[in-house]
Amino acid sequence: MSDFFIARQPIFDQNLKLFAYELLFRNSNTGAAPQDLDDDLATAQVLSISEEVGLEELVGDRPAFINLPRRFLSEPELLPFEPDNVVLEVLEHVEIDDAVIEGMQVLGQRGYTLALDDFVYDSRFDAALEHVAIVKLEIPDIAPENWNAEISRLKDLGVKVLAEKVETNEEFETLKDLGCDYFQGYFFAKPKVVTGKRLAANKLAVMQLMSQINNPETDIESLSELVSRDVAISVRAMNYANSPAAGLSRRIESIREAVIYIGRETIRRWVTLLIMARLDDKPGELITMTLVRARFLELMAEEASQEGIDAFFTVGLFSVLDALMDSPLEEVLETLALPDDLRDALCKHEGIKGECLELAKALERGELSGFEAFEIEPPKVAELHQIATLWADETLDGMASS
């Protein structure tokens, strides 16, 4: 498993609720999509790793979109999964001939959901369209003035339309109005408005609370009081303190006890995450990405025996505050008392923490390389990122259950 890296990219519905993940194979020794690995082998690796690790471990209860080259269409018995939780994407360069159509028909009869990838209409796809439920439009390859015609044509055929590589909120809103059902891209991780806007009063209050909780000069008594002021946060923090995840042998009866027994840093992190999670106008995947980044930076620091690993976690945690608050990051950070090195890492990707953050963002795009500053080889980087991803999923499950 450590020799390979599977990237997962979220897919959202019109309400920005997480719908599915696309799984992408990456060769950790090359740093990105392998140029010398053919589609059959890449898909075989995704299937093999997913089967070994467990599809549920990678995507939870969400569907997994998996690329399907020609061989797997003509030999559907090679697929190791039941059809319930996968969407099979027919790659754009697959030649649509009788053998492929027959394979699509067989897969459909077995209950698999099929999609066409990177679609731009051509009459050669007519026969294939009869067997697919979802069509993916690669938005940058289609002129905006043609979006409506392409989407309308597909909607008339009764298929769902997935817009991929959507990069801005404006694109998302336009494509949603035109009838797209699903969306893939980094629009969800960017603020809707980044200029000419101050923080709303309610969000400013959230930031002020976060600032106080994350201020190293806030003592235990003050921290306990801050948490106790918010009933919902204090109840969930107490639930966590008394959960098996906390690992304590005695029952915690107060917030002050929780801070003492569990530790200031753990409480600080959890309360910060709970505050972020209450911004319910944001997609849950944004919180997931936040957790993955934070834990990944922390794991990298631990692997390299760095001092102050909590600061690495904080950089990952705060790296999406602009998207959460719909304001420029520099403006948001003005409300937080952060050391200069953390501010430079967040705003400029400077210093060792900033380089770690840049690497985390690259991994989200499915790009992987070694981290020269820590001399960590790509396979280990991939392993740490996978550990962080699983930890984030488990953490969110714990937050939901508490």
Side-chain angles (χ1 to χ4, degrees):
M1 177 61 186
S2 61
D3 289 334
F4 300 100
F5 172 67
I6 285 191
R8 70 175 195 185
Q9 296 181 350
I11 297 171
F12 300 95
D13 65 14
Q14 291 184 333
N15 297 314
L16 287 183
K17 300 297 183 183
L18 182 64
F19 167 63
Y21 287 107
E22 179 174 4
L23 298 181
L24 299 171
F25 173 74
R26 293 294 184 261
N27 185 326
S28 62
N29 292 317
T30 62
Q35 301 299 313
D36 57 347
L37 191 69
D38 65 27
D39 293 331
D40 288 342
L41 188 51
T43 293
Q45 293 287 3
V46 169
L47 296 177
S48 174
I49 296 170
S50 299
E51 188 176 25
E52 178 184 343
V53 175
L55 202 57
E56 187 174 350
E57 289 293 316
L58 293 173
V59 299
D61 60 354
R62 305 295 181 178
F65 278 61
I66 297 175
N67 291 334
L68 204 67
R70 182 182 181 86
R71 182 178 180 187
F72 290 86
L73 285 162
S74 58
E75 300 179 57
E77 66 276 2
L78 294 173
L79 294 172
F81 303 125
E82 294 299 316
D84 300 341
N85 209 37
V86 294
V87 177
L88 305 175
E89 295 186 40
V90 180
L91 294 174
E92 67 276 11
H93 50 260
V94 170
E95 181 182 353
I96 306 298
D97 56 19
D98 291 343
V100 167
I101 295 299
E102 182 179 350
M104 294 177 70
Q105 186 173 4
V106 169
L107 288 169
Q109 290 171 346
R110 294 183 180 180
Y112 289 98
T113 300
L114 297 177
L116 283 180
D117 192 24
D118 293 351
F119 182 84
V120 176
Y121 180 74
D122 188 292
S123 59
R124 66 190 177 93
F125 291 113
D126 286 346
L129 285 166
E130 297 178 12
H131 302 286
V132 302
I134 300 172
V135 172
K136 298 181 72 173
L137 295 178
E138 190 159 349
I139 295 305
D141 289 349
I142 305 172
E145 59 268 23
N146 295 332
W147 289 354
N148 187 34
E150 290 282 348
I151 294 167
S152 297
R153 187 201 310 269
L154 293 169
K155 299 296 286 186
D156 289 342
L157 293 173
V159 300
K160 299 288 188 181
V161 179
L162 192 163
E164 59 179 338
K165 296 187 179 178
V166 181
E167 295 300 314
T168 68
N169 186 70
E170 290 74 19
E171 288 179 348
F172 164 69
E173 295 290 349
T174 299
L175 291 163
K176 181 173 71 170
D177 290 343
L178 291 175
C180 287
D181 302 281
Y182 306 116
F183 306 86
Q184 190 172 358
Y186 291 97
F187 65 96
F188 77 94
K190 298 178 182 179
K192 291 182 179 180
V193 179
V194 295
T195 57
K197 177 179 177 180
R198 301 296 296 176
L199 282 173
N202 61 326
K203 291 186 176 180
L204 184 59
V206 166
M207 288 304 303
Q208 289 171 342
L209 178 57
M210 285 178 58
S211 177
Q212 290 175 292
I213 287 173
N214 285 280
N215 186 340
E217 296 182 3
T218 302
D219 58 28
I220 288 178
E221 297 295 338
S222 300
L223 180 59
S224 303
E225 182 183 351
L226 285 169
V227 176
S228 299
R229 287 178 189 172
D230 190 301
V231 175
I233 289 178
S234 59
V235 167
R236 297 183 78 178
M238 286 292 293
N239 284 345
Y240 169 71
N242 287 302
S243 71
L248 299 180
S249 58
R250 63 181 298 274
R251 183 165 184 81
I252 297 299
E253 301 291 343
S254 69
I255 293 295
R256 187 178 187 281
E257 280 188 300
V259 173
I260 293 172
Y261 280 95
I262 294 178
R264 174 194 179 93
E265 288 303 320
T266 300
I267 289 293
R268 178 181 64 81
R269 291 181 186 182
W270 268 85
V271 173
T272 301
L273 289 171
L274 289 171
I275 292 171
M276 287 181 171
R278 295 178 72 187
L279 299 170
D280 55 9
D281 61 332
K282 297 298 177 182
E285 182 62 21
L286 193 58
I287 303 299
T288 302
M289 186 175 74
T290 305
L291 287 171
V292 174
R293 283 186 188 178
R295 181 60 174 151
F296 173 70
L297 263 65
E298 181 181 52
L299 289 171
M300 290 285 288
E302 287 179 355
E303 180 70 17
S305 301
Q306 291 287 299
E307 294 182 359
I309 61 174
D310 291 320
F312 285 80
F313 189 94
T314 299
V315 168
L317 197 64
F318 287 175
S319 64
V320 296
L321 284 179
D322 54 345
L324 286 169
M325 300 296 171
D326 286 331
S327 291
L329 187 58
E330 292 83 353
E331 180 180 314
V332 174
L333 294 180
E334 287 178 3
T335 65
L336 296 173
L338 292 180
D340 289 341
D341 66 320
L342 266 65
R343 191 179 301 273
D344 289 342
L346 288 162
C347 296
K348 305 175 185 177
H349 290 178
E350 290 183 354
I352 198 68
K353 299 179 185 68
E355 291 181 45
C356 271
L357 177 59
E358 195 165 23
L359 175 61
K361 291 181 176 181
L363 288 164
E364 291 160 13
R365 300 189 297 269
E367 301 169 4
L368 177 62
S369 63
F371 191 47
E372 294 180 1
F374 288 164
E375 297 182 351
I376 300 176
E377 293 298 320
K380 188 62 179 181
V381 172
E383 180 185 350
L384 295 178
H385 194 263
Q386 184 62 39
I387 291 171
T389 301
L390 294 176
W391 177 86
D393 290 341
E394 292 169 358
T395 298
L396 281 178
D397 287 343
M399 289 172 65
S401 62
S402 66

